[in-house]
Amino acid sequence: MKFEDLKIGMKESVSKTITETDVILYSGITMDINPAHINKEHAKQTIFKKRIAHGMLTAGLVSAVLGTKLPGEGSIYMGQELSFTAPVYFGDTVTATVEIIELVPEKKRVYLSTTCTNQDGTVVLTGKAKIMKR
């Protein structure tokens, strides 16, 4: 899709069920071995009472939408504001949705709202992305 094909209000999403394997692999790749993510006994003592997925693992689903669906191929991810609003637990199905909220034709910039929800409709992440599109 070319910049000229984009319209305010266009929306796309992807969904993924977060598994223990996803969290362990993410921990190894990023070196984020916070026990809240990987240690069951430690996690029982936290406010969440069980292990949670990394917030940035959830944010990675936003990147998947931006790079593959909207704006898609040819997009350069320039920036992201994020707020993590609720935990993601193992077994949660997270849906990442992006919506075009602003287009700047002279610079070929695309601004999108970014939201992730779980299977119950609880918002677990909100934000805004800035993309350069050829």
Side-chain angles (χ1 to χ4, degrees):
M1 186 178 305
K2 296 179 183 175
F3 182 88
E4 295 75 24
D5 299 324
L6 301 174
K7 306 279 185 260
I8 292 175
M10 291 176 84
K11 192 184 284 192
E12 284 288 349
S13 58
V14 299
S15 296
K16 177 174 181 22
T17 300
I18 304 299
T19 67
E20 179 178 30
T21 300
D22 295 326
V23 172
I24 297 302
L25 289 172
Y26 188 86
S27 291
I29 290 165
T30 62
M31 299 188 303
D32 180 351
I33 56 170
N34 182 329
H37 306 304
I38 61 173
N39 184 306
K40 285 181 187 179
E41 293 307 311
H42 173 83
K44 288 178 186 177
Q45 307 306 313
T46 70
I47 60 170
F48 305 113
K49 304 300 180 202
K50 55 186 176 178
R51 292 180 294 169
I52 58 172
H54 301 76
M56 293 307 290
L57 173 58
T58 304
L61 298 176
V62 170
S63 181
V65 182
L66 295 171
T68 65
K69 292 191 171 194
L70 184 69
E73 186 178 335
S75 298
I76 304 298
Y77 209 160
M78 297 181 70
Q80 177 76 53
E81 297 171 10
L82 292 173
S83 293
F84 302 105
T85 56
V88 172
Y89 298 104
F90 297 10
D92 281 355
T93 299
V94 176
T95 300
T97 303
V98 305
E99 180 177 357
I100 297 175
I101 57 174
E102 183 181 354
L103 295 165
V104 182
E106 58 275 6
K107 292 190 173 191
K108 293 196 174 187
R109 299 294 189 266
V110 184
Y111 293 88
L112 306 99
S113 67
T114 59
T115 306
C116 291
T117 56
N118 68 15
Q119 66 281 351
D120 299 321
T122 301
V123 175
V124 299
L125 175 153
T126 62
K128 182 178 177 182
K130 177 181 178 183
I131 302 292
M132 179 173 50
K133 179 72 175 165
R134 8 172 233 193

